Amino acid sequence: MPQIPLRTPSYPTPPSNPLPHLLHTPSGLALLELQATIHFPSSSNSSSFVCEDKTEVGKLVFPLYNPALYGDDDTKWMKRVYFYVGKYQRLTGEVRKLGRPFAVVRRKETDTVMGEEREDVEMGDVVESIEGRDNGGEGEELEIVEVVRYKIVFSSRPEPVGGEKEEV
Amino acid sequence: MATQQDEGGFPLSISHNLRQFRLLELPPDLLELIDSPHPPSLSIKAQAPSAAAATPTAKPAYAVLCTPTRTYQLRQVQTSNSVYITQPDPKRSSQAGISAIASCSATLEPHPVISSAVDFLKDVLPVYDIIDGDVDAAGNGKNRQRIFVDIPLSDGECQTAWTELIAFEFAGSSYRPSANTLFQVWKAVHSAVQVEGIKLDSQFLTDEILTSIESEGFPSSLVSALFQRLGDEKDSKGPWSCLNRQRTVQFVGQTLLEQKTGDHYLVAQFLDLWRDSLPEAWREEAELETIKGSFHFPSSTTIAFGGDAAVASAASEKDTPKAGSSSRKWHEKLGRARQKK
């Protein structure tokens, strides 16, 4: 099927969002970019950090974010974001406004096929999925789930931090 | 100072089932469309693989993003960074955090494409020809919408080209008429108009003409397509048609020239035929100036239809000496440019 509809967003009610207000989007989705790869245990039995179907890899801190003190219009906090990975590593990053916002696009979940099997092939490659007309592309739809205007970027190497100073 | 984990932090998790999302860069015009209260329908298209696509020399199909009227080519840009899409965790009793639910290994950059669908349509639409009263056309079994789906341009651009080519749907297939067919249809319309006393450049009932030329065996959709191509948008509504005089005179002249096979017309002979094919009141408007760019003179007394290529090459020949002379006077140009400042 060479033509695939691209749906524009319709937002469900998002859960409460711990990110600074500027980074909030209607659906709660945000963009996080790392010049690094996060290795984490993939099996749910191998780590005590594991809860449910995800692994906690660290902690995000916006040290200068304090709207109560600096007001809602303050943007200085955007210059510094910390990402503590495990106990002894820290990445320093910042919040950047995107020159051109991004639409987050995914393959629209159909009513009949839900769950993990479907997720395996989710969104594959847009071009390929368009060209792959043989494997039942009929009725396939893409949707824009969100438009994001900011991203959190960690472009520097991790630096060691002293474990003894950490809160327990 | 801030080497300790400050207060206000929250946990970041990564989902085990990271999904693959794509990030589509939004230039201002696309952003405006998507942000509008009633976003138009968008779609992603690719050119259908033709028979030729099986050969190794064929260009690979590329994906385009279409708004109702515009087309953007999508370029996929890989990133070496890890890009995650995060979402807030569902409320739990402990501290709420965010989780990465998807990774994006590539972003899509839309680049506006300014292109005409005419050539695409010419490639896929079979020609509808009528030779000595017999229809010579092989149907493709595809309606208009099915044809548009395989053309990597927006529906608006496809429709413009469809109208331009006077393409039409007939018996479950889509066709484009040959110049020969078009001229026959026009002649039938012209004589019907004379019999009925209809003025083509004021509103008339489309059906009136359709009925009177029904016996000629032209598909009515073809006649309607012709009226749409020649019509004035503001006066052609519903059952009514109204032809644009200038466009019609031009069309008749071009079609008359194009359908001529074999020997070329003598210029005077062509002008007579052209005028005779027009309503009496329009005769005076049949001037070569009206169809400028569509013809050339093979000899001093004859005229022939000049395709785009012939016209383009003729134009470039004309331009070449000009360019040469102006390049020799580059210092004058520079001087002019300086004076402007």
mmCIF file of all heavy atoms in Angstrom, chain B residues 190-198:
data_model
loop_
_atom_site.group_PDB
_atom_site.id
_atom_site.type_symbol
_atom_site.label_atom_id
_atom_site.label_comp_id
_atom_site.label_asym_id
_atom_site.label_seq_id
_atom_site.Cartn_x
_atom_site.Cartn_y
_atom_site.Cartn_z
ATOM 1 N N HIS B 190 -18.606 21.995 -30.742
ATOM 2 C CA HIS B 190 -18.739 23.204 -31.556
ATOM 3 C C HIS B 190 -20.005 23.155 -32.426
ATOM 4 O O HIS B 190 -20.774 24.123 -32.484
ATOM 5 C CB HIS B 190 -17.491 23.353 -32.433
ATOM 6 C CG HIS B 190 -17.531 24.517 -33.354
ATOM 7 N ND1 HIS B 190 -17.797 25.803 -32.926
ATOM 8 C CD2 HIS B 190 -17.350 24.613 -34.699
ATOM 9 C CE1 HIS B 190 -17.766 26.622 -33.946
ATOM 10 N NE2 HIS B 190 -17.505 25.919 -35.041
ATOM 11 N N SER B 191 -20.248 22.002 -33.088
ATOM 12 C CA SER B 191 -21.428 21.953 -33.956
ATOM 13 C C SER B 191 -22.708 21.898 -33.137
ATOM 14 O O SER B 191 -23.725 22.492 -33.530
ATOM 15 C CB SER B 191 -21.342 20.787 -34.957
ATOM 16 O OG SER B 191 -21.078 19.598 -34.281
ATOM 17 N N ALA B 192 -22.663 21.228 -31.983
ATOM 18 C CA ALA B 192 -23.840 21.206 -31.105
ATOM 19 C C ALA B 192 -24.192 22.616 -30.655
ATOM 20 O O ALA B 192 -25.360 23.008 -30.621
ATOM 21 C CB ALA B 192 -23.576 20.319 -29.892
ATOM 22 N N VAL B 193 -23.163 23.383 -30.336
ATOM 23 C CA VAL B 193 -23.363 24.753 -29.870
ATOM 24 C C VAL B 193 -24.026 25.598 -30.955
ATOM 25 O O VAL B 193 -24.920 26.398 -30.699
ATOM 26 C CB VAL B 193 -22.005 25.356 -29.454
ATOM 27 C CG1 VAL B 193 -22.087 26.862 -29.342
ATOM 28 C CG2 VAL B 193 -21.541 24.745 -28.145
ATOM 29 N N GLN B 194 -23.580 25.367 -32.200
ATOM 30 C CA GLN B 194 -24.154 26.138 -33.304
ATOM 31 C C GLN B 194 -25.623 25.792 -33.502
ATOM 32 O O GLN B 194 -26.455 26.675 -33.714
ATOM 33 C CB GLN B 194 -23.371 25.868 -34.584
ATOM 34 C CG GLN B 194 -22.060 26.649 -34.627
ATOM 35 C CD GLN B 194 -21.292 26.397 -35.897
ATOM 36 O OE1 GLN B 194 -21.275 25.271 -36.404
ATOM 37 N NE2 GLN B 194 -20.640 27.421 -36.404
ATOM 38 N N VAL B 195 -25.920 24.483 -33.408
ATOM 39 C CA VAL B 195 -27.306 24.039 -33.598
ATOM 40 C C VAL B 195 -28.204 24.593 -32.489
ATOM 41 O O VAL B 195 -29.279 25.128 -32.741
ATOM 42 C CB VAL B 195 -27.385 22.497 -33.633
ATOM 43 C CG1 VAL B 195 -28.841 22.040 -33.631
ATOM 44 C CG2 VAL B 195 -26.657 21.959 -34.859
ATOM 45 N N GLU B 196 -27.716 24.474 -31.257
ATOM 46 C CA GLU B 196 -28.545 24.847 -30.101
ATOM 47 C C GLU B 196 -28.511 26.352 -29.833
ATOM 48 O O GLU B 196 -29.267 26.845 -28.996
ATOM 49 C CB GLU B 196 -28.068 24.117 -28.836
ATOM 50 C CG GLU B 196 -27.931 22.607 -28.975
ATOM 51 C CD GLU B 196 -29.259 21.885 -28.783
ATOM 52 O OE1 GLU B 196 -30.128 22.428 -28.064
ATOM 53 O OE2 GLU B 196 -29.420 20.797 -29.353
ATOM 54 N N GLY B 197 -27.571 27.038 -30.455
ATOM 55 C CA GLY B 197 -27.451 28.467 -30.199
ATOM 56 C C GLY B 197 -26.997 28.784 -28.780
ATOM 57 O O GLY B 197 -27.491 29.715 -28.149
ATOM 58 N N ILE B 198 -26.067 27.996 -28.293
ATOM 59 C CA ILE B 198 -25.575 28.205 -26.922
ATOM 60 C C ILE B 198 -24.358 29.113 -26.949
ATOM 61 O O ILE B 198 -23.509 29.013 -27.841
ATOM 62 C CB ILE B 198 -25.192 26.848 -26.293
ATOM 63 C CG1 ILE B 198 -26.432 25.969 -26.143
ATOM 64 C CG2 ILE B 198 -24.501 27.039 -24.941
ATOM 65 C CD1 ILE B 198 -26.117 24.548 -25.754
#
